[in-house]
């Protein structure tokens, strides 16, 4: 890279618009959406879609709610021409969906385009020509007058062909293809000339599409360009202003959003931002950004995983795991502090009465796009107690005391460090059961027990029972002022063990009266060590005794 990039590159000039209005506006509704996946997106694929993949993609776009779909460049290839004919002849276009096709401003290509649209119920014909100085001078070697003449002659021919097929409801779209780096005065001049040739009205609608064909400036500059144009275009109320941002600077979404604030009513783009170079603006992100601001986008992404699956199959390109709203990992937290905040957020969300979504690190409820909460917290060596506790609660109903969360998280982190791998929910549960003797092969297991004296508060309680330690059956006898106290004394005597209960908690694993109980006992043993034991049983007293034996086994170990 150059030490002095200013010797080779120049900043894009700002627009003189001191009274700009768009920064103080707020988006309140969705734009008209137009998907260009089947044309602009398709031409950017390593292997363009065949008819079968294009048909699957078209059906997906219809199901998602798109009403305007650019389906082909019919004069560019026989495949595209045949696809348009197939849609029309097989009557696969719903009544409320308008297909769009694109053509360059050449007579033979325009006529070929209209051949493909024969007997279409409704259609948008999209004409474009490059208008920027770089293209006029380097690529086409034509002056401004010739550039305007090309656009006007194409417009007049399209109007003539539309009037010759009145059975189709026609809309005309014109793009000064390189608008974002065309002189604003010239972009306005050529669009005024096109509108004069077309004469837009309710029966002859006109879309003026102002693309950021290659991003060359900050998004606010693009917004200034759109507002400047909208304020000066003569027949503003008679036309729809559309934008088609690309993503060369990585700000395509910001360009589209700010362009809407500046007056754009329509947005063209692709699902997940597919397109040439760095892609077109991502319509999924745009739509979901509106959704998370409380605005209905008019598009349905309630099964986002299926949308990803179909798009990947048709494009043969992967959707990045960190892609906004759609990636496999976008709702996932590995970090301990993030997991703890999310866990607390879910608990607070359950108590909210207003229905508003307020969970840390999750601007969108994953359930709204068909994702389960299983993917929200995943555990590796970076994870903390909160995330591990949340998974055990969600999947197994355990509400671990805080100190038990800390104890078990250290055990999980050791396991994650040893394996160098993520620990799944199933692996966490297996490790929890092994650690606390819940897996049926505990080092110390309760065979039977009996409590006596429990009916009189003034009498000592007696505990008698048997436990198995390895291949040995050991009898227990003890007394105390409660069932647990008696069991502690019995275990002290049987194993000559210092043992003291520091904390005891229990809860039901379900809401009905037949639910099992889970008990958590924190015990102090030799040399002041404290460890937890966990017990689960259909009887609350039995679960407490099992938890005490679980802690004893760990202290003996």
């Amino acid at each position: 890279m150059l030490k002095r990039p200013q010797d080779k590159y120049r900043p894009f000039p700002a627009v003189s618009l001191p009274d700009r209005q768009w920064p103080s506006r707020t988006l309140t509704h969705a734009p008209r959406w137009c998907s260009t996946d089947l044309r602009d997106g398709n031409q950017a694929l390593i292997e363009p879609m065949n008819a079968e993949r294009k048909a699957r993609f078209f059906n997906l776009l219809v199901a998602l709610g798109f009403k305007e779909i650019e389906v082909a460049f019919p004069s560019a290839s026989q495949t595209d021409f045949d696809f348009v004919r197939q849609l029309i002849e097989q009557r696969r276009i719903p009544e409320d969906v308008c297909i769009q096709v694109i053509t360059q401003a050449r007579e033979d290509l325009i006529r070929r385009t209209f051949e493909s649209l024969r007997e279409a119920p409704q259609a948008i014909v999209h004409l474009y020509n490059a208008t920027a100085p770089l293209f006029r001078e380097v690529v086409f070697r034509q002056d401004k007058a010739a550039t305007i003449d090309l656009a006007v002659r194409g417009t007049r021919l399209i109007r003539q062909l539309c009037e010759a097929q009145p059975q189709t409801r026609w809309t005309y779209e014109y793009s000064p293809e390189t608008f974002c780096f065309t002189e604003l005065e010239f972009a306005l001049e050529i669009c005024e000339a096109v509108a004069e040739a077309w004469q837009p009205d309710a029966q002859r609608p006109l879309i003026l599409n102002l693309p950021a064909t290659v991003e060359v400036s900050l998004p606010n500059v693009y917004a200034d360009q759109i507002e400047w144009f909208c304020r000066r275009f003569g027949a503003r109320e008679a036309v729809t202003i559309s934008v088609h941002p690309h993503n060369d600077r990585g700000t395509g979404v910001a360009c589209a959003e700010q362009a809407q604030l500046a007056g754009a009513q329509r947005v063209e783009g692709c699902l997940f931002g597919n397109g040439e170079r760095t892609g077109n603006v991502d319509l999924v992100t745009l739509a979901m950004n509106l959704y998370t601001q409380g605005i209905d986008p008019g598009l349905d992404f309630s099964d986002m995983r299926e949308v990803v699956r179909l798009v990947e199959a048709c494009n043969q390109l992967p959707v990045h795991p960190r892609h906004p709203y759609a990636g496999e990992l976008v709702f996932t937290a590995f970090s301990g502090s993030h997991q703890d905040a999310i866990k607390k957020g879910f608990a607070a969300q359950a108590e909210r009465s207003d229905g508003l979504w307020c969970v840390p690190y999750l601007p969108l409820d994953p359930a709204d796009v068909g994702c389960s909460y299983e993917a929200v917290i995943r555990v590796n060596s970076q994870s903390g107690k909160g995330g591990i506790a949340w998974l055990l609660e969600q999947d197994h109903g355990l509400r671990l005391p805080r100190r038990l969360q800390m104890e078990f998280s250290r055990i999980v982190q050791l396991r994650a460090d040893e394996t160098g791998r993520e620990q799944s929910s199933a692996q966490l549960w297996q490790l929890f059961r092994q650690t606390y003797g819940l897996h049926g092969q505990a080092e110390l297991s309760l065979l039977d027990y009996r409590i006596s004296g429990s009916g009189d508060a003034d009498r000592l309680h007696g505990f008698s029972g048997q436990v198995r330690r390895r291949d040995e059956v050991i009898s227990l006898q003890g007394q105390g002022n409660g069932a647990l106290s008696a069991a502690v004394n019995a275990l002290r005597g049987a194993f000559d063990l210092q043992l003291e209960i520091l904390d005891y908690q229990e809860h039901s694993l379900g809401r009905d009266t037949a639910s099992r109980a889970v008990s958590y006992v924190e015990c102090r043993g030799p040399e002041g060590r404290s460890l937890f034991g966990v017990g689960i049983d259909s009887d609350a007293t039995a679960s407490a005794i099992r938890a005490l034996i679980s802690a004893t086994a760990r202290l003996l170990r």
Side-chain angles (χ1 to χ4, degrees), residues 185-392:
E185 293 80 2
F186 182 58
L188 180 64
E189 182 183 359
I190 196 169
C191 287
E192 293 278 18
V194 164
E196 177 64 27
W198 181 255
Q199 291 293 302
D201 57 28
Q203 285 70 46
R204 204 165 35 243
L206 172 62
I207 298 167
L208 290 177
N209 188 51
L210 308 178
T213 311
V214 179
E215 273 198 306
V216 293
S217 69
L218 294 170
N220 63 292
V221 174
Y222 185 54
D224 281 351
Q225 291 174 324
I226 300 299
E227 182 172 334
W228 186 98
F229 184 95
C230 289
R231 286 163 62 171
R232 287 163 175 78
F233 186 78
R236 178 64 188 89
E237 300 303 317
V239 303
T240 296
I241 300 297
S242 176
V243 290
H244 182 120
H246 278 252
N247 199 44
D248 301 85
R249 292 171 51 91
T251 58
V253 167
C255 280
E257 290 179 331
Q258 293 184 16
Q260 291 175 72
L261 293 173
Q265 303 145 285
R266 182 178 183 268
V267 177
E268 295 186 346
C270 292
L271 301 185
F272 309 120
N274 180 46
E276 295 196 87
R277 303 180 312 280
T278 55
N280 291 280
V281 68
D282 175 12
L283 298 186
V284 176
T285 299
L286 273 176
M288 295 308 301
N289 282 357
L290 289 172
Y291 182 83
T292 58
Q293 298 301 301
I295 300 169
D296 180 6
L299 299 175
D300 181 7
F301 293 107
S302 57
D303 192 354
M304 189 70 80
R305 289 285 178 263
E306 179 64 8
V307 176
V308 170
R309 187 189 69 80
L310 283 171
V311 171
E312 288 182 333
C314 292
N315 285 345
Q316 298 184 352
L317 292 173
V319 172
H320 196 281
R322 300 288 183 191
H323 194 101
Y325 303 109
E328 182 183 356
L329 297 177
V330 295
F331 301 119
T332 300
F334 289 104
S335 159
S337 60
H338 289 205
Q339 291 176 347
D340 185 61
I342 290 170
K343 175 180 179 292
K344 292 172 180 174
F346 271 118
Q349 186 68 28
E351 303 298 321
R352 291 186 69 94
S353 59
D354 58 11
L356 292 176
W357 178 256
C358 294
V359 175
Y361 296 111
L362 292 176
L364 172 73
D365 183 351
D368 289 0
V369 289
C371 296
S372 70
Y373 294 140
E374 293 177 9
V376 171
I377 289 177
R378 289 165 60 174
V379 173
N380 61 17
S381 61
Q382 303 299 306
S383 303
K385 65 183 187 306
I388 294 165
W390 189 83
L391 283 173
L392 289 173

Side-chain angles (χ1 to χ4, degrees), residues 403-467:
R403 288 177 56 80
L404 176 53
Q405 294 177 28
M406 296 168 63
E407 177 186 280
F408 186 58
S409 71
R410 289 193 292 269
I411 296 168
V412 173
Q413 286 178 332
L414 284 173
R415 175 64 61 87
D417 281 331
E418 289 171 0
T419 62
R421 302 178 66 86
E422 176 188 352
Q423 301 296 298
S424 68
S425 178
Q427 289 170 321
L428 283 180
W429 179 232
Q430 181 182 18
L431 181 60
F432 188 84
R433 293 173 68 225
Q434 289 174 346
T435 301
Y436 298 103
L438 303 174
H439 61 327
Q441 298 176 349
E443 185 174 335
L444 195 65
S445 56
L446 179 67
L447 298 178
D448 62 65
Y449 76 94
R450 186 168 63 87
I451 304 293
S452 61
S454 58
D456 190 337
D458 295 328
R459 291 179 55 189
L460 287 174
H461 291 65
F463 178 89
S464 61
Q466 290 183 317
V467 295

Side-chain angles (χ1 to χ4, degrees), residues 45-88:
L45 299 178
I46 300 167
E47 295 182 9
M49 288 181 273
N50 58 22
E52 185 272 333
R53 281 158 57 199
K54 288 192 81 168
R56 288 175 63 193
F57 211 133
F58 179 81
N59 291 338
L60 170 64
L61 294 169
V62 170
L64 293 176
F66 283 94
K67 304 304 180 187
E68 297 177 16
I69 303 171
E70 190 167 84
V71 295
F73 198 146
S75 64
S77 74
Q78 190 63 42
T79 300
D80 270 20
F81 184 95
D82 291 343
F83 181 67
V84 178
R85 294 308 309 153
Q86 181 185 79
L87 290 176
I88 295 169

